[in-house]
Amino acid sequence: MTFQEYLDYFEQILAAPQDVDPYGDEEYFNYTKLNWSRMNRWLKRFEPNNDIKNLIGSITEPQHWIVITEPWCGDAAHSVPQLYQMVKNNPNIDFEIQLRDTEPFLIEDYLTNGGKSIPKLVIRNDVGHDKVIWGPRPEKLQDMFLESKEKGLSFEETKELMQKWYNEDKGEEIQRELLLALS
């Protein structure tokens, strides 16, 4: 789906969660409402830095950027709108959203340590060869996440740490990682 179709899907879930599995579950629905708010905040406030703007602007060969995600995913609420903001003005980049839990189950080809962690960005060239695979979160945050698991922090404590990290980082780390990966 396009990014706009993803936003429409998100709104459909918010309007009638009982019609879309698993959003009838109150916990999933509450995460989704929170993620809608976070995503819209990034769409309004996130401005790619000059380095990533210049690099993305210099892409003249067609590329296909596929983001595997779901509206309930907290990491996606930060990364997906930032990725979209980075590429939206380059007509050579086709930006597509694929849902993790819907056919064709592309996530099966991009597991993280055997798990279906999202969001996952796959950048392909014009003939469908993978150039870059990124995700499910910036490496520094992934290290923090794994460390919090090792320390036995609760899910709530881990989520709070991660949210604080995203708010303080403001999308700089994802841009740095993509600059390295695409250069």
Side-chain angles (χ1 to χ4, degrees), residues 37-54:
S37 173
R38 288 174 176 157
M39 191 169 69
N40 279 292
R41 187 181 79 231
W42 286 121
L43 286 171
K44 288 176 188 154
R45 294 186 183 162
F46 177 75
E47 179 67 30
N49 66 38
N50 286 333
D51 291 337
I52 199 78
K53 278 185 193 175
N54 291 336

Side-chain angles (χ1 to χ4, degrees), residues 163-181:
Q163 179 63 36
K164 184 176 185 237
W165 187 92
Y166 276 118
N167 288 340
E168 291 173 358
D169 177 70
K170 296 180 175 41
E172 288 303 314
E173 192 62 23
I174 190 174
Q175 292 177 91
R176 189 189 68 73
E177 290 180 10
L178 288 174
L179 280 167
L180 288 172

Side-chain angles (χ1 to χ4, degrees), residues 37-164:
S37 173
R38 288 174 176 157
M39 191 169 69
N40 279 292
R41 187 181 79 231
W42 286 121
L43 286 171
K44 288 176 188 154
R45 294 186 183 162
F46 177 75
E47 179 67 30
N49 66 38
N50 286 333
D51 291 337
I52 199 78
K53 278 185 193 175
N54 291 336
L55 180 66
I56 297 293
S58 73
I59 295 172
T60 57
E61 299 293 317
Q63 289 186 357
H64 190 68
W65 289 40
I66 304 164
V67 180
I68 306 166
T69 191
E70 287 287 344
W72 51 256
C73 176
D75 289 290
H78 302 280
S79 300
V80 173
Q82 292 172 354
L83 290 167
Y84 175 73
Q85 294 290 76
M86 287 181 223
V87 303
K88 70 180 183 179
N89 294 321
N90 187 326
N92 296 308
I93 298 175
D94 177 39
F95 189 82
E96 177 186 345
I97 303 286
Q98 285 204 13
L99 298 175
R100 185 193 83 168
D101 300 330
T102 304
E103 288 186 5
F105 303 111
L106 185 61
I107 192 65
E108 297 290 344
D109 296 331
Y110 300 97
L111 301 177
T112 302
N113 300 322
K116 297 179 181 181
S117 300
I118 53 175
K120 199 70 140 183
L121 169 66
V122 180
I123 300 175
R124 294 181 176 162
N125 64 15
D126 62 336
V127 292
H129 294 122
D130 292 353
K131 296 173 53 90
V132 174
I133 299 165
W134 178 91
R137 58 185 64 92
E139 287 177 32
K140 286 182 181 179
L141 184 57
Q142 179 69 1
D143 292 344
M144 277 179 52
F145 173 76
L146 295 173
E147 189 177 300
S148 73
K149 284 178 78 171
E150 286 174 15
K151 288 180 178 176
L153 295 181
S154 71
F155 183 60
E156 288 302 317
E157 291 170 311
T158 301
K159 280 192 325 187
E160 193 173 308
L161 279 173
M162 292 173 67
Q163 179 63 36
K164 184 176 185 237

